[in-house]
Each structure stands twice: as C-alpha cells, then as structure tokens.
Amino acid sequence: MPSIIPFKGIHPNPQSAGKVAVYTENMSLEEARHERDMNSMSFIHLLVPNIAFGLEVDDSQGQAFKQIQTTFRDFLAKGVLIEDSEPAFYIIEIKHGNLTQSGFWALTSLDDYFDKRIKKPESIRPEREALILNYITHAQLDSNPVLLTYPDNPVIDEIIRQHKS
C-alpha cells in the first residue's frame, strides 16, 4: 500500500478566490492567454506565463517556467495565495454534472510509484511527460495533482463524511 503524508496547502486568499480560481477544462491556449491578460490574479498566470521576447511555454531554457515561479512567489508575497501554517490532509470534492466525488488530497512518494505500489493507469505521451517534468523542474511547483484511486473503504468514507459536515 502506498504511503501518504500531509502537506501545507497553498490556496487563494478567501478575499480574492473568485478572481484566482478559473475553470480550465477544455480551455484553449487563446482563451487562457485572454484570461491571463484580463485578470492579474488568475491562476492562469501559473500555467500560461506572459513572457517577453516571444518565448513559448516549451522554450529550451525554461524561461517561461521560471516566470511562473516568479509569479507564484509574487502571488504569495501579495497575499493572492496563502500557505497554511501546518501540514494537513485535505478533502477535495469534485462535481461534474450530477456526479459528486470526494477524496483526500495528500502527498505520495515517488518511490511508491517506481516500486509499483501506485499503478500507472495510462500511458502518457512522451512530449506531455517532458513538458510536465520541465514545468516541475523550472517552476518548482506542481499545479496539476494526480488522481489516485483506492478500493472501497468504509473507514475512509466515514472520515470524509465527518470532515465535510
């Protein structure tokens, strides 16, 4: 069984959450650039940086990703984003149409992945894998959590139910 550990969450300041949070599912790059240009607090700035000199997100020097890191630090300094003071497990709830799913948000070990305690559910295109690796390496953050599933567990279900109330 893979191990999970708590972490210090970073999330929008409640006063600015409406401007930071943005629904990105099926958003085109053009729409993302428009959102970025129109909203100085949008989370899009951590995905699609505004780079001078025509650099694109996949530039070989990682300048776009370094700009994301700079913007992330700026968001923290300005209070757009805040970091929790203590590590915690988080409950995440996702609604899509009539379906609502809840689960834990936690850190896992890469060793669990490499030791096959976390099963790889799908193949990732090599260019997508390289882009994600470049993003994490240069931006030094991961803004796209990975979903892990687990067999039905009434204890986990009860913990989630108690903490959602």
Side-chain angles (χ1 to χ4, degrees), residues 6 28 53 69 74 83 93 122 128 130 141 149-150 157 163:
S28 71
F53 313 116
Q69 182 186 54
D74 185 53
E83 182 176 23
E93 185 171 81
E122 60 191 43
R128 175 79 175 140
L141 63 112
T149 61
Y150 54 88
D157 292 344
H163 286 83

Side-chain angles (χ1 to χ4, degrees), residues 36-82:
R36 175 200 63 204
D37 294 343
M38 300 305 294
N39 180 354
S40 65
M41 287 193 266
S42 176
F43 183 75
I44 290 293
H45 288 275
L46 302 179
L47 300 173
V48 182
N50 189 0
I51 297 292
F53 313 116
L55 294 173
E56 290 297 322
V57 173
D58 62 350
D59 72 287
S60 62
Q61 300 300 312
Q63 294 300 342
F65 297 114
K66 290 174 185 172
Q67 179 60 47
I68 288 171
Q69 182 186 54
T70 299
T71 301
F72 173 70
R73 289 181 177 164
D74 185 53
F75 277 18
L76 283 170
K78 290 180 177 177
V80 173
L81 297 175
I82 55 176

